[in-house]
């Protein structure tokens, strides 16, 4: 059985288990409102935010659009059309621009965030995917192709570096003060650590199981990498320096995004199994599941906004339910 079939099997089993699981910790995540995405069909991918104006940007991959959502007014205020499987999006506040990574063509397009007009473009290999913006260095990192992370200067719109990888990168995290980058490489069954000065991998941590490590978060204070696996559905916390496993526990199936909130010491995981799981760090090496809140089946893409105490979840159209951005208020124990 190949990896894709194995992922589907474990995702289905995870959904079956979690859909029947009793809700817990509902006080930790309260639905405030649903903002309709009336013209959006198909799969939805990554989300970013203009924090100052509370504008969310949603990569509607299956719809080939980027949706602009005003959180305060609760409505879609714009849309960028003609994209090709948009996956990653980053809002660049210094330049009031957006970068959209297109999975279909590999194009990374720059757009004015106010007018939504195109201002520049860089062509990478196919499958341009996850995006990170480093405000201190004014650089954008984009995972792409069969194994690479491009480094782009946000001011000049030019590629200034490239990290070659053994497989397509999924989620990755930066710590620029130590010049390190950690990246999930599910196609190779590993997590990689790269040196940002040398622009190459300097460490690799491999596992036979679990597999399909897609989302990742970084706990900078404790030097920990937090990874979500799909096969089987499991949360694992690693020492980011050594790769040593610190904690492991089951979680919601088909996870696509996870976040570490340093203030509450809570991990948020959104899964296509139809729920958000919340784990709280209760000791140096233990994380206790304190919440299992049902959302929608297939609603696996999210964005934690700790400054606003919000978790945004993108719910694709399913059956008689239209696509929507679900706005949750976060809490703590």
């Amino acid at each position: 059985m190949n990896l894709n079939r194995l992922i589907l099997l474990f995702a289905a089993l995870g959904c079956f288990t979690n859909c029947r699981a009793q809700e817990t910790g509902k006080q930790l995540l309260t639905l405030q409102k649903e903002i309709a995405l009336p013209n959006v069909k198909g799969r939805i991918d990554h989300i970013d935010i203009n924090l100052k104006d509370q504008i969310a940007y949603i990569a509607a991959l299956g719809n080939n659009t980027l949706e602009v959502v005003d959180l305060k007014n609760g409505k879609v205020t714009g849309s960028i059309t003609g994209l090709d499987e948009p996956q990653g999006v980053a809002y660049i506040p210094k330049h009031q621009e957006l970068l959209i990574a297109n999975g279909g063509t590999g194009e990374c397009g720059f757009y004015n965030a106010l007018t939504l007009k195109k201002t520049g473009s860089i062509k990478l290999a196919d499958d341009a995917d996850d995006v990170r913006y480093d405000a201190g260095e004014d650089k954008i990192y984009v995972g792409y192709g069969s194994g690479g992370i491009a480094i782009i200067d946000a001011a000049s719109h030019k590629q200034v570096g490239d990290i070659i990888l053994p497989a397509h990168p999924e989620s990755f995290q930066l710590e620029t003060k130590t010049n390190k980058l950690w990246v999930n490489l599910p196609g190779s069954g590993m997590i990689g650590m790269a040196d940002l000065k040398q622009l190459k991998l300097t460490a690799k941590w491999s596992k036979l199981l679990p597999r399909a490590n897609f989302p990742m978060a970084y706990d900078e204070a404790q030097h920990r990498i937090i990874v979500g696996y799909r096969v089987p559905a499991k949360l694992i916390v690693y020492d980011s320096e050594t790769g040593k496993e610190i904690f492991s526990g089951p979680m919601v199936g088909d996870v696509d995004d996870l976040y570490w909130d340093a203030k509450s010491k809570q991990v948020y995981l959104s899964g296509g199994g139809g729920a958000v799981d919340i784990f709280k760090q209760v000791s140096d090496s233990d994380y206790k599941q304190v919440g299992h809140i049902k959302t929608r089946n297939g609603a696996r893409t999210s964005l934690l906004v700790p400054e606003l105490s919000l978790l945004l979840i993108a719910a694709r159209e399913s059956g008689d339910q239209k696509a929507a951005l679900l706005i949750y208020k976060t809490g703590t124990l």
Side-chain angles (χ1 to χ4, degrees):
M1 182 180 291
N2 65 31
L3 180 58
N4 288 335
R5 289 184 179 179
L6 199 60
I7 291 172
L8 290 174
L9 174 60
F10 273 93
L13 291 173
C15 179
F16 178 74
T17 301
N18 281 281
C19 285
R20 300 195 314 169
Q22 183 177 358
E23 282 193 290
T24 57
K26 292 179 69 174
Q27 75 277 15
L28 300 176
L29 202 64
T30 306
L31 182 63
Q32 285 196 322
K33 58 184 173 182
E34 297 186 12
I35 301 176
L37 305 175
N39 300 313
V40 172
K41 309 286 185 182
R43 181 183 153 199
I44 301 174
D45 216 330
H46 296 293
I47 309 169
D48 203 4
I49 190 169
N50 169 349
L51 190 59
K52 178 178 178 290
D53 298 321
Q54 296 187 29
I55 304 293
Y57 305 98
I58 304 170
L61 184 151
N63 205 54
N64 290 322
T65 62
L66 182 95
E67 301 298 307
V68 182
V69 180
D70 187 318
L71 299 183
K72 291 182 289 186
N73 294 329
K75 63 180 181 180
V76 175
T77 57
S79 182
I80 297 175
T81 61
L83 304 175
D84 193 335
E85 298 182 8
Q87 297 190 98
V89 56
Y91 172 66
I92 317 299
K94 183 175 180 178
H95 307 291
Q96 289 193 306
E97 286 190 323
L98 300 167
L99 181 133
I100 304 172
N102 290 272
T105 61
E107 181 193 23
C108 295
F110 287 88
Y111 296 82
N112 183 292
L114 300 176
T115 66
L116 305 185
K117 300 296 184 182
K118 198 169 190 177
T119 57
S121 177
I122 291 177
K123 180 67 170 66
L124 303 177
D126 65 346
D127 205 8
D129 195 348
D130 207 4
V131 179
R132 295 284 182 272
Y133 174 59
D134 174 18
E137 296 290 329
D138 200 27
K139 290 179 180 176
I140 307 164
Y141 294 75
V142 183
Y144 72 93
S146 59
I149 294 179
I151 305 170
I152 299 168
D153 180 78
S156 66
H157 298 174
K158 293 181 179 180
Q159 185 174 349
V160 294
D162 201 20
I163 302 172
I164 303 303
L165 303 170
H168 177 75
E170 290 296 335
S171 182
F172 57 92
Q173 298 294 326
L174 303 164
E175 188 179 56
T176 53
K177 67 181 181 182
T178 60
N179 295 309
K180 290 179 181 176
L181 178 150
W182 293 269
V183 56
N184 276 332
L185 300 165
S188 294
M190 67 175 61
I191 297 169
M193 183 173 72
D195 184 296
L196 294 177
K197 291 294 186 183
Q198 300 179 56
L199 298 183
K200 67 178 184 179
L201 286 184
T202 54
K204 302 173 186 177
W205 311 325
S206 300
K207 276 183 175 292
L208 291 176
L209 279 176
R211 293 293 295 268
N213 47 316
F214 284 82
M216 172 190 285
Y218 179 51
D219 173 0
E220 181 177 354
Q222 300 181 86
H223 304 288
R224 295 179 178 185
I225 292 294
I226 306 167
V227 178
Y229 292 83
R230 296 180 185 173
V231 183
K234 186 169 285 190
L235 172 70
I236 298 184
V237 181
Y238 298 95
D239 182 308
S240 64
E241 301 301 307
T242 66
K244 179 183 177 182
E245 185 177 307
I246 296 170
F247 170 83
S248 175
M251 63 176 187
V252 62
D254 194 25
V255 67
D256 202 48
D257 276 319
L258 72 83
Y259 301 93
W260 165 251
D261 180 28
K263 184 176 180 181
S264 66
K265 291 191 175 298
Q266 292 178 171
V267 181
Y268 295 83
L269 309 104
S270 56
V276 169
D277 282 351
I278 303 174
F279 286 75
K280 188 175 185 69
Q281 184 179 5
V282 293
S283 71
D284 185 61
S285 60
D286 191 24
Y287 296 73
K288 178 184 178 182
Q289 185 172 350
V290 293
H292 176 78
I293 298 93
K294 294 181 181 178
T295 54
R296 287 195 200 174
N297 287 338
R300 64 184 191 175
T301 306
S302 62
L303 178 69
L304 181 68
V305 189
E307 298 88 347
L308 302 176
S309 298
L310 295 179
L311 181 69
L312 315 181
I313 301 178
R316 62 182 294 175
E317 184 180 50
S318 178
D320 60 354
Q321 291 184 310
K322 301 298 184 181
L325 184 64
L326 312 180
I327 314 297
Y328 286 87
K329 190 74 173 178
T330 60
T332 186
L333 293 175

